[in-house]
Amino acid sequence: MADLRISTDDYEPDGPMPERLSKDGGNEVPAFSVTGVPEDAVELALVVHDPDAPMVRGFTHWVVYGLPAQDGPIDPSVGRAAPTTAGEPGWYGPQPPAGHGTHRYYAWVYALSAPVSGEPTREAFLDRDGGSILEQARVVGTFSR
C-alpha cells in the first residue's frame, strides 16, 4: 500500500479548509486528484469523514463510488453519490458545532479490485466491500468554528 496518493489544491495536508468548502460558507465541492492507482484496480471510491463529530461513528460528509481507476483529477459527476450521515447524497461541507474545537476531515480514496454495487453508506461499504480494497490513501484537512 505504498503508491496510491490523494491530494487537493484547496488546502494543505493537515491544514485548514477554506470557508467556501463549509456547509455555511458556500458548500463548494473540494477538488481531489489521485496518483499511483494500481493497474489491477477496477474502480475508485472516495469518502470524506469527520471522526471528531460528536456522534458514535463520526459524520460522513461525502461518499462517491464508481470512479474510474485512473490517475488524475477525480470527477465526482461520473460516479455514484451515496448518502452522507445527513441522509442525502452529495457533498455536505464541514459544519462542526460552534465551540466544538477543530475537526479533522479525512478524504480517503480506495482502489478496489471489484466494483461496488449500489450506493451503500460508508459503514456498509467498509463492512461489505472492505475485502476488495487493494490500496487506500488519505489527505486530511481541518475546520473549526
Coordinates of all heavy atoms in Angstrom, one line a residue, residues 17-106:
M17 N -9.2 24.0 6.1 CA -10.0 24.0 4.8 C -10.6 25.4 4.7 O -11.0 26.0 5.7 CB -11.1 23.0 4.9 CG -10.6 21.5 5.0 SD -11.9 20.3 5.4 CE -12.6 20.1 3.8
P18 N -10.7 25.9 3.5 CA -11.3 27.3 3.3 C -12.8 27.3 3.6 O -13.5 26.3 3.4 CB -11.0 27.6 1.9 CG -10.8 26.3 1.2 CD -10.3 25.4 2.2
E19 N -13.3 28.4 4.1 CA -14.7 28.6 4.4 C -15.6 28.3 3.3 O -16.7 27.7 3.5 CB -14.9 30.1 4.9 CG -16.3 30.5 5.2 CD -16.8 29.9 6.5 OE1 -16.0 29.5 7.4 OE2 -18.0 29.7 6.7
R20 N -15.2 28.5 2.0 CA -16.0 28.3 0.9 C -16.4 26.8 0.7 O -17.4 26.5 0.1 CB -15.4 28.8 -0.4 CG -14.1 28.1 -0.8 CD -13.4 28.7 -2.0 NE -12.1 28.3 -2.2 CZ -11.7 27.0 -2.6 NH1 -12.7 26.2 -3.0 NH2 -10.5 26.7 -2.8
L21 N -15.7 25.9 1.4 CA -16.0 24.5 1.3 C -17.0 24.1 2.4 O -17.6 23.0 2.3 CB -14.7 23.6 1.5 CG -13.6 23.8 0.4 CD1 -12.5 22.8 0.7 CD2 -14.1 23.6 -1.0
S22 N -17.2 24.9 3.4 CA -18.0 24.6 4.5 C -19.5 24.7 4.1 O -19.9 25.3 3.1 CB -17.8 25.5 5.7 OG -18.3 26.8 5.5
K23 N -20.3 24.0 4.9 CA -21.8 23.9 4.6 C -22.4 25.3 4.6 O -23.2 25.7 3.8 CB -22.5 23.0 5.6 CG -23.9 22.8 5.4 CD -24.2 22.0 4.2 CE -25.7 21.6 4.1 NZ -26.0 21.1 2.7
D24 N -21.9 26.2 5.5 CA -22.5 27.5 5.7 C -21.7 28.6 4.9 O -22.2 29.7 4.8 CB -22.5 27.9 7.2 CG -23.3 27.0 8.0 OD1 -24.3 26.5 7.6 OD2 -22.9 26.7 9.2
G25 N -20.6 28.2 4.3 CA -19.8 29.2 3.6 C -19.8 29.0 2.1 O -18.9 29.6 1.4
G26 N -20.7 28.3 1.5 CA -20.8 28.1 0.1 C -21.0 26.7 -0.4 O -21.5 26.4 -1.4
N27 N -20.5 25.8 0.5 CA -20.6 24.3 0.2 C -20.0 23.9 -1.1 O -20.5 23.0 -1.8 CB -22.1 23.9 0.3 CG -22.2 22.4 0.7 OD1 -21.5 21.9 1.6 ND2 -23.1 21.7 0.1
E28 N -18.9 24.6 -1.5 CA -18.2 24.2 -2.7 C -17.6 22.8 -2.6 O -17.1 22.5 -1.5 CB -17.1 25.2 -3.0 CG -17.7 26.6 -3.5 CD -16.5 27.5 -3.9 OE1 -15.4 27.0 -4.3 OE2 -16.7 28.7 -3.9
V29 N -17.7 22.1 -3.6 CA -17.1 20.7 -3.6 C -15.6 20.8 -3.8 O -15.1 21.5 -4.7 CB -17.7 19.9 -4.8 CG1 -17.0 18.6 -4.9 CG2 -19.2 19.8 -4.7
P30 N -14.8 20.2 -2.9 CA -13.4 20.2 -3.0 C -12.9 19.4 -4.2 O -13.6 18.4 -4.6 CB -12.9 19.5 -1.7 CG -14.1 18.8 -1.2 CD -15.3 19.4 -1.7
A31 N -11.8 19.8 -4.8 CA -11.2 19.1 -5.9 C -10.1 18.2 -5.5 O -9.1 18.7 -4.8 CB -10.8 20.1 -6.9
F32 N -10.2 16.9 -5.8 CA -9.1 16.0 -5.4 C -8.5 15.4 -6.7 O -9.2 15.3 -7.7 CB -9.7 14.9 -4.6 CG -10.2 15.3 -3.2 CD1 -11.6 15.4 -3.0 CD2 -9.3 15.6 -2.2 CE1 -12.0 15.8 -1.7 CE2 -9.8 16.1 -1.0 CZ -11.1 16.2 -0.7
S33 N -7.3 15.0 -6.6 CA -6.6 14.2 -7.6 C -5.9 13.0 -7.0 O -5.6 13.0 -5.8 CB -5.5 15.1 -8.2 OG -6.0 16.2 -9.0
V34 N -5.7 12.0 -7.8 CA -5.1 10.8 -7.4 C -3.9 10.4 -8.3 O -3.9 10.7 -9.5 CB -6.0 9.6 -7.3 CG1 -7.1 9.8 -6.2 CG2 -6.7 9.3 -8.6
T35 N -2.9 9.8 -7.7 CA -1.8 9.2 -8.5 C -1.5 7.8 -7.9 O -1.9 7.5 -6.8 CB -0.5 10.1 -8.4 OG1 -0.1 10.2 -7.0 CG2 -0.8 11.5 -9.0
G36 N -0.8 7.0 -8.7 CA -0.4 5.7 -8.2 C -1.5 4.7 -8.1 O -1.4 3.7 -7.3
V37 N -2.5 4.9 -8.9 CA -3.6 3.9 -8.9 C -3.1 2.5 -9.4 O -2.5 2.5 -10.5 CB -4.8 4.4 -9.8 CG1 -5.9 3.3 -10.0 CG2 -5.4 5.7 -9.3
P38 N -3.3 1.5 -8.7 CA -2.8 0.2 -9.1 C -3.4 -0.3 -10.4 O -4.6 0.0 -10.7 CB -3.3 -0.8 -8.0 CG -3.7 0.1 -6.8 CD -4.1 1.4 -7.4
E39 N -2.6 -1.0 -11.2 CA -3.0 -1.4 -12.5 C -4.2 -2.4 -12.4 O -5.0 -2.4 -13.4 CB -1.9 -2.1 -13.3 CG -0.8 -1.2 -13.7 CD 0.3 -1.9 -14.5 OE1 0.0 -3.0 -15.0 OE2 1.3 -1.3 -14.6
D40 N -4.3 -3.2 -11.4 CA -5.4 -4.1 -11.2 C -6.7 -3.6 -10.6 O -7.6 -4.3 -10.4 CB -4.9 -5.4 -10.5 CG -4.2 -5.1 -9.2 OD1 -3.9 -4.0 -8.9 OD2 -4.1 -6.1 -8.4
A41 N -6.7 -2.3 -10.3 CA -7.9 -1.7 -9.7 C -9.0 -1.5 -10.8 O -8.7 -1.2 -12.0 CB -7.6 -0.3 -9.2
V42 N -10.2 -1.8 -10.4 CA -11.3 -1.7 -11.4 C -12.2 -0.4 -11.2 O -12.9 0.0 -12.1 CB -12.2 -2.9 -11.4 CG1 -11.5 -4.2 -11.8 CG2 -12.9 -3.1 -10.0
E43 N -12.1 0.2 -10.0 CA -12.7 1.4 -9.7 C -12.2 2.0 -8.5 O -11.5 1.4 -7.7 CB -14.3 1.3 -9.6 CG -14.8 0.7 -8.3 CD -16.3 0.8 -8.3 OE1 -17.0 0.4 -9.2 OE2 -16.9 1.3 -7.3
L44 N -12.5 3.3 -8.3 CA -12.1 4.0 -7.1 C -13.3 4.4 -6.3 O -14.4 4.6 -6.9 CB -11.3 5.3 -7.4 CG -10.0 5.2 -8.2 CD1 -9.4 6.5 -8.5 CD2 -9.0 4.3 -7.4
A45 N -13.2 4.6 -5.0 CA -14.2 5.1 -4.2 C -13.6 6.3 -3.4 O -12.5 6.2 -3.0 CB -14.8 4.1 -3.2
L46 N -14.4 7.3 -3.1 CA -14.0 8.5 -2.4 C -14.9 8.6 -1.2 O -16.2 8.6 -1.3 CB -14.1 9.7 -3.3 CG -13.8 11.1 -2.6 CD1 -12.3 11.2 -2.2 CD2 -14.1 12.2 -3.5
V47 N -14.3 8.8 0.0 CA -15.1 9.0 1.2 C -14.5 10.2 2.0 O -13.2 10.2 2.2 CB -15.1 7.8 2.1 CG1 -15.8 8.0 3.5 CG2 -15.8 6.6 1.4
V48 N -15.3 11.2 2.4 CA -14.8 12.2 3.3 C -15.5 12.0 4.6 O -16.7 12.0 4.7 CB -15.0 13.6 2.7 CG1 -14.5 14.7 3.7 CG2 -14.3 13.8 1.4
H49 N -14.7 11.9 5.7 CA -15.3 11.6 7.0 C -14.7 12.4 8.1 O -13.5 12.7 8.1 CB -15.1 10.1 7.3 CG -15.7 9.6 8.6 ND1 -17.0 9.4 8.7 CD2 -15.2 9.3 9.8 CE1 -17.3 9.0 9.9 NE2 -16.2 8.9 10.6
D50 N -15.5 12.9 9.1 CA -15.1 13.6 10.2 C -15.2 12.7 11.5 O -16.3 12.6 12.0 CB -16.0 14.9 10.4 CG -15.8 15.6 11.7 OD1 -14.9 15.3 12.5 OD2 -16.6 16.6 11.9
P51 N -14.1 12.2 12.0 CA -14.2 11.3 13.1 C -14.4 12.1 14.4 O -14.7 11.5 15.5 CB -12.9 10.6 13.2 CG -11.9 11.5 12.5 CD -12.8 12.2 11.5
D52 N -14.3 13.4 14.4 CA -14.4 14.3 15.6 C -15.8 14.8 15.8 O -16.1 15.4 16.9 CB -13.5 15.5 15.4 CG -12.0 15.1 15.2 OD1 -11.5 14.2 16.0 OD2 -11.4 15.6 14.3
A53 N -16.7 14.5 14.9 CA -18.1 14.9 15.1 C -18.6 14.2 16.4 O -18.3 13.0 16.7 CB -19.0 14.5 13.9
P54 N -19.5 14.9 17.2 CA -20.0 14.3 18.4 C -21.1 13.3 18.2 O -22.2 13.4 18.7 CB -20.5 15.5 19.2 CG -20.9 16.5 18.1 CD -19.9 16.3 17.0
M55 N -20.7 12.2 17.4 CA -21.6 11.2 17.2 C -20.8 9.9 17.3 O -19.6 9.9 17.1 CB -22.2 11.3 15.7 CG -22.9 12.6 15.5 SD -23.2 12.9 13.8 CE -24.7 12.0 13.6
V56 N -21.5 8.8 17.6 CA -20.8 7.5 17.8 C -19.9 7.1 16.7 O -18.7 6.7 16.9 CB -21.8 6.4 18.1 CG1 -21.1 5.0 18.2 CG2 -22.6 6.7 19.3
R57 N -20.3 7.3 15.5 CA -19.5 6.9 14.3 C -18.9 8.1 13.5 O -18.5 8.0 12.4 CB -20.3 6.0 13.4 CG -20.6 4.7 14.0 CD -21.3 3.8 13.0 NE -21.5 2.5 13.7 CZ -22.4 1.6 13.3 NH1 -23.2 1.9 12.3 NH2 -22.5 0.5 13.9
G58 N -18.9 9.3 14.2 CA -18.5 10.5 13.5 C -19.5 10.9 12.4 O -20.7 10.5 12.5
F59 N -19.1 11.7 11.4 CA -20.0 12.2 10.4 C -19.4 12.0 9.1 O -18.3 12.5 8.8 CB -20.3 13.7 10.7 CG -21.5 14.2 9.9 CD1 -22.7 14.3 10.4 CD2 -21.3 14.6 8.5 CE1 -23.8 14.8 9.7 CE2 -22.3 15.1 7.8 CZ -23.6 15.2 8.3
T60 N -20.1 11.4 8.2 CA -19.6 11.2 6.8 C -20.1 12.3 5.9 O -21.3 12.5 5.8 CB -20.0 9.8 6.3 OG1 -19.4 8.8 7.1 CG2 -19.5 9.6 4.8
H61 N -19.2 13.0 5.3 CA -19.6 14.2 4.5 C -19.7 14.0 3.0 O -20.3 14.8 2.3 CB -18.5 15.3 4.7 CG -18.6 15.9 6.1 ND1 -19.3 17.1 6.3 CD2 -18.2 15.5 7.3 CE1 -19.2 17.4 7.6 NE2 -18.6 16.4 8.2
W62 N -19.2 12.9 2.5 CA -19.2 12.6 1.1 C -18.9 11.2 0.8 O -17.9 10.6 1.4 CB -18.3 13.5 0.4 CG -18.5 13.8 -1.1 CD1 -19.7 13.6 -1.8 CD2 -17.6 14.4 -2.0 NE1 -19.5 14.0 -3.1 CE2 -18.3 14.5 -3.2 CE3 -16.3 14.8 -1.9 CZ2 -17.7 15.1 -4.3 CZ3 -15.7 15.4 -3.0 CH2 -16.4 15.5 -4.2
V63 N -19.6 10.5 0.0 CA -19.3 9.1 -0.5 C -19.6 9.1 -2.0 O -20.7 9.4 -2.4 CB -20.1 8.1 0.3 CG1 -19.8 6.7 -0.1 CG2 -20.0 8.3 1.8
V64 N -18.6 8.6 -2.8 CA -18.8 8.5 -4.2 C -18.2 7.2 -4.7 O -17.0 6.9 -4.4 CB -18.1 9.7 -5.0 CG1 -18.5 9.5 -6.5 CG2 -18.6 11.0 -4.5
Y65 N -18.9 6.4 -5.4 CA -18.5 5.1 -5.9 C -18.4 5.1 -7.4 O -19.0 6.0 -8.0 CB -19.4 4.0 -5.5 CG -19.5 3.8 -4.0 CD1 -20.7 4.1 -3.3 CD2 -18.5 3.4 -3.2 CE1 -20.9 4.0 -2.0 CE2 -18.6 3.3 -1.8 CZ -19.8 3.6 -1.2 OH -19.9 3.5 0.2
G66 N -17.8 4.1 -8.0 CA -17.8 4.0 -9.5 C -16.9 5.0 -10.2 O -17.1 5.3 -11.4
L67 N -15.9 5.5 -9.5 CA -15.0 6.4 -10.1 C -13.9 5.7 -11.0 O -13.5 4.6 -10.6 CB -14.3 7.3 -9.1 CG -15.2 8.2 -8.2 CD1 -14.5 8.7 -7.0 CD2 -15.7 9.3 -9.1
P68 N -13.5 6.2 -12.1 CA -12.6 5.5 -13.0 C -11.3 5.2 -12.2 O -10.8 6.0 -11.5 CB -12.3 6.4 -14.1 CG -13.5 7.4 -14.1 CD -14.0 7.5 -12.7
A69 N -10.7 4.0 -12.4 CA -9.4 3.6 -11.8 C -8.3 4.2 -12.6 O -7.6 3.4 -13.3 CB -9.4 2.1 -11.7
Q70 N -8.1 5.5 -12.5 CA -7.0 6.1 -13.3 C -6.4 7.3 -12.5 O -7.1 7.9 -11.7 CB -7.5 6.6 -14.6 CG -8.6 7.6 -14.5 CD -9.4 7.9 -15.8 OE1 -9.5 7.0 -16.7 NE2 -9.8 9.1 -16.0
D71 N -5.2 7.6 -12.8 CA -4.6 8.8 -12.2 C -5.2 10.0 -12.8 O -5.6 10.1 -13.9 CB -3.1 8.8 -12.5 CG -2.3 7.7 -11.7 OD1 -2.9 6.9 -11.0 OD2 -1.0 7.7 -11.9
G72 N -5.2 11.1 -12.0 CA -5.7 12.4 -12.4 C -6.7 13.0 -11.5 O -7.0 12.4 -10.4
P73 N -7.4 14.1 -12.0 CA -8.4 14.7 -11.1 C -9.6 13.7 -11.0 O -9.9 12.9 -11.9 CB -8.8 15.9 -12.0 CG -7.7 16.1 -12.9 CD -7.1 14.8 -13.2
I74 N -10.2 13.7 -9.8 CA -11.4 13.0 -9.5 C -12.6 13.8 -10.0 O -12.8 14.9 -9.6 CB -11.5 12.6 -8.1 CG1 -10.4 11.6 -7.7 CG2 -12.9 12.0 -7.8 CD1 -10.4 11.3 -6.2
D75 N -13.4 13.2 -10.9 CA -14.6 13.9 -11.4 C -15.8 13.2 -10.7 O -16.2 12.1 -11.2 CB -14.7 13.8 -12.9 CG -16.0 14.5 -13.4 OD1 -16.8 15.0 -12.6 OD2 -16.1 14.5 -14.7
P76 N -16.3 13.8 -9.6 CA -17.4 13.1 -8.9 C -18.7 12.9 -9.8 O -19.5 12.0 -9.5 CB -17.7 13.9 -7.7 CG -17.1 15.2 -8.0 CD -16.0 15.0 -9.0
S77 N -18.8 13.7 -10.8 CA -20.0 13.6 -11.6 C -20.1 12.3 -12.4 O -21.2 11.9 -12.9 CB -20.1 14.8 -12.6 OG -19.2 14.7 -13.6
V78 N -19.0 11.6 -12.6 CA -19.0 10.3 -13.3 C -19.2 9.1 -12.4 O -19.4 8.0 -12.8 CB -17.7 10.1 -14.1 CG1 -17.5 11.2 -15.1 CG2 -16.5 9.9 -13.2
G79 N -19.3 9.4 -11.0 CA -19.5 8.3 -10.1 C -20.9 8.3 -9.6 O -21.8 9.1 -10.1
R80 N -21.2 7.5 -8.5 CA -22.5 7.4 -7.9 C -22.3 7.9 -6.5 O -21.6 7.3 -5.7 CB -23.0 6.0 -7.9 CG -23.2 5.4 -9.2 CD -23.7 4.0 -9.2 NE -23.1 3.1 -8.1 CZ -21.9 2.5 -8.2 NH1 -21.2 2.7 -9.3 NH2 -21.5 1.7 -7.2
A81 N -23.0 9.0 -6.1 CA -23.0 9.5 -4.8 C -23.9 8.7 -3.9 O -25.0 8.3 -4.3 CB -23.4 11.0 -4.8
A82 N -23.4 8.4 -2.7 CA -24.2 7.7 -1.7 C -24.6 8.6 -0.6 O -24.0 9.7 -0.5 CB -23.4 6.5 -1.2
P83 N -25.5 8.2 0.3 CA -25.9 9.1 1.4 C -24.8 9.4 2.4 O -24.0 8.6 2.7 CB -27.0 8.3 2.1 CG -27.4 7.2 1.2 CD -26.2 6.9 0.3
T84 N -24.8 10.7 2.8 CA -23.9 11.1 3.9 C -24.6 10.8 5.2 O -25.7 10.2 5.2 CB -23.7 12.7 3.8 OG1 -25.0 13.3 4.1 CG2 -23.2 13.1 2.5
T85 N -24.0 11.1 6.3 CA -24.7 10.9 7.6 C -26.0 11.7 7.7 O -26.9 11.3 8.4 CB -23.7 11.2 8.7 OG1 -22.6 10.4 8.6 CG2 -24.4 11.0 10.1
A86 N -26.0 12.8 6.9 CA -27.3 13.6 6.9 C -28.4 13.0 6.1 O -29.5 13.4 6.2 CB -27.0 15.0 6.3
G87 N -28.1 11.9 5.4 CA -29.1 11.1 4.7 C -29.2 11.4 3.2 O -30.0 10.7 2.6
E88 N -28.6 12.4 2.7 CA -28.7 12.8 1.3 C -27.3 12.6 0.6 O -26.3 12.7 1.2 CB -29.1 14.2 1.2 CG -30.5 14.6 1.7 CD -31.6 13.9 1.0 OE1 -31.5 13.7 -0.3 OE2 -32.6 13.5 1.6
P89 N -27.4 12.2 -0.7 CA -26.1 12.1 -1.4 C -25.6 13.4 -1.8 O -26.3 14.4 -1.8 CB -26.6 11.3 -2.7 CG -28.0 11.7 -2.9 CD -28.5 11.9 -1.5
G90 N -24.3 13.5 -2.1 CA -23.6 14.7 -2.4 C -22.7 15.3 -1.3 O -22.7 14.8 -0.2
W91 N -22.0 16.3 -1.7 CA -21.1 16.9 -0.7 C -21.8 17.6 0.4 O -22.7 18.4 0.1 CB -20.1 17.9 -1.5 CG -19.3 18.8 -0.6 CD1 -19.4 20.1 -0.5 CD2 -18.2 18.4 0.2 NE1 -18.5 20.6 0.4 CE2 -17.7 19.6 0.9 CE3 -17.6 17.2 0.6 CZ2 -16.7 19.5 1.8 CZ3 -16.6 17.2 1.5 CH2 -16.1 18.3 2.0
Y92 N -21.5 17.4 1.6 CA -22.0 18.1 2.8 C -20.8 18.7 3.5 O -20.1 18.0 4.2 CB -22.8 17.1 3.7 CG -23.5 17.8 4.8 CD1 -24.9 17.9 4.7 CD2 -22.9 18.2 5.9 CE1 -25.7 18.5 5.7 CE2 -23.6 18.9 6.9 CZ -25.0 19.0 6.8 OH -25.7 19.6 7.8
G93 N -20.6 20.0 3.2 CA -19.4 20.6 3.7 C -19.3 20.6 5.2 O -20.2 20.4 6.0
P94 N -18.1 20.9 5.7 CA -17.8 21.0 7.2 C -18.8 21.9 7.9 O -19.1 23.0 7.4 CB -16.4 21.5 7.3 CG -15.7 21.1 6.0 CD -16.8 21.2 5.0
Q95 N -19.3 21.5 9.0 CA -20.2 22.3 9.8 C -20.2 21.8 11.3 O -21.2 21.4 11.8 CB -21.7 22.1 9.3 CG -22.7 23.1 9.8 CD -24.0 22.9 9.2 OE1 -24.5 21.7 9.1 NE2 -24.7 23.9 8.9
P96 N -19.0 21.9 11.9 CA -18.9 21.4 13.3 C -19.7 22.3 14.2 O -19.9 23.5 13.9 CB -17.4 21.5 13.6 CG -16.9 22.5 12.6 CD -17.7 22.4 11.4
P97 N -20.2 21.8 15.3 CA -20.9 22.6 16.3 C -20.0 23.8 16.7 O -18.8 23.6 16.9 CB -21.2 21.6 17.4 CG -21.1 20.3 16.8 CD -20.1 20.4 15.8
A98 N -20.6 24.9 16.9 CA -19.9 26.1 17.4 C -19.2 25.8 18.7 O -19.9 25.2 19.6 CB -20.9 27.3 17.6
G99 N -18.0 26.2 18.9 CA -17.3 26.0 20.1 C -16.8 24.5 20.3 O -16.3 24.2 21.4
H100 N -16.9 23.7 19.3 CA -16.6 22.2 19.5 C -15.1 22.0 19.2 O -14.6 20.9 19.2 CB -17.5 21.4 18.6 CG -17.5 19.9 19.1 ND1 -16.8 18.9 18.4 CD2 -18.1 19.3 20.1 CE1 -17.0 17.8 19.0 NE2 -17.8 18.0 20.0
G101 N -14.4 23.0 18.8 CA -13.0 22.9 18.5 C -12.7 22.5 17.1 O -13.6 22.5 16.2
T102 N -11.5 22.1 16.8 CA -11.1 21.8 15.5 C -11.4 20.4 15.1 O -11.2 19.5 15.9 CB -9.5 22.0 15.3 OG1 -9.2 23.4 15.6 CG2 -9.1 21.7 13.9
H103 N -12.0 20.2 14.0 CA -12.4 18.9 13.5 C -11.5 18.5 12.3 O -11.0 19.4 11.6 CB -13.8 18.8 13.0 CG -14.8 18.8 14.1 ND1 -15.9 18.0 14.0 CD2 -14.9 19.5 15.2 CE1 -16.7 18.2 15.1 NE2 -16.1 19.1 15.9
R104 N -11.2 17.2 12.2 CA -10.4 16.7 11.1 C -11.3 16.1 10.1 O -12.2 15.3 10.4 CB -9.4 15.7 11.6 CG -8.4 16.3 12.6 CD -7.6 15.2 13.4 NE -8.6 14.5 14.2 CZ -8.5 13.2 14.6 NH1 -7.5 12.5 14.3 NH2 -9.5 12.7 15.3
Y105 N -11.0 16.3 8.8 CA -11.8 15.8 7.7 C -10.9 14.9 6.8 O -10.0 15.4 6.1 CB -12.4 16.9 6.9 CG -13.4 17.7 7.7 CD1 -13.0 18.7 8.6 CD2 -14.7 17.4 7.8 CE1 -13.8 19.4 9.4 CE2 -15.6 18.0 8.6 CZ -15.2 19.0 9.5 OH -16.0 19.6 10.3
Y106 N -11.1 13.6 6.9 CA -10.2 12.7 6.2 C -10.9 12.4 4.9 O -12.0 11.9 4.8 CB -10.2 11.3 7.0 CG -9.4 11.4 8.2 CD1 -9.8 12.0 9.4 CD2 -8.1 10.8 8.3 CE1 -9.0 12.1 10.5 CE2 -7.3 10.8 9.4 CZ -7.8 11.4 10.6 OH -7.0 11.5 11.7

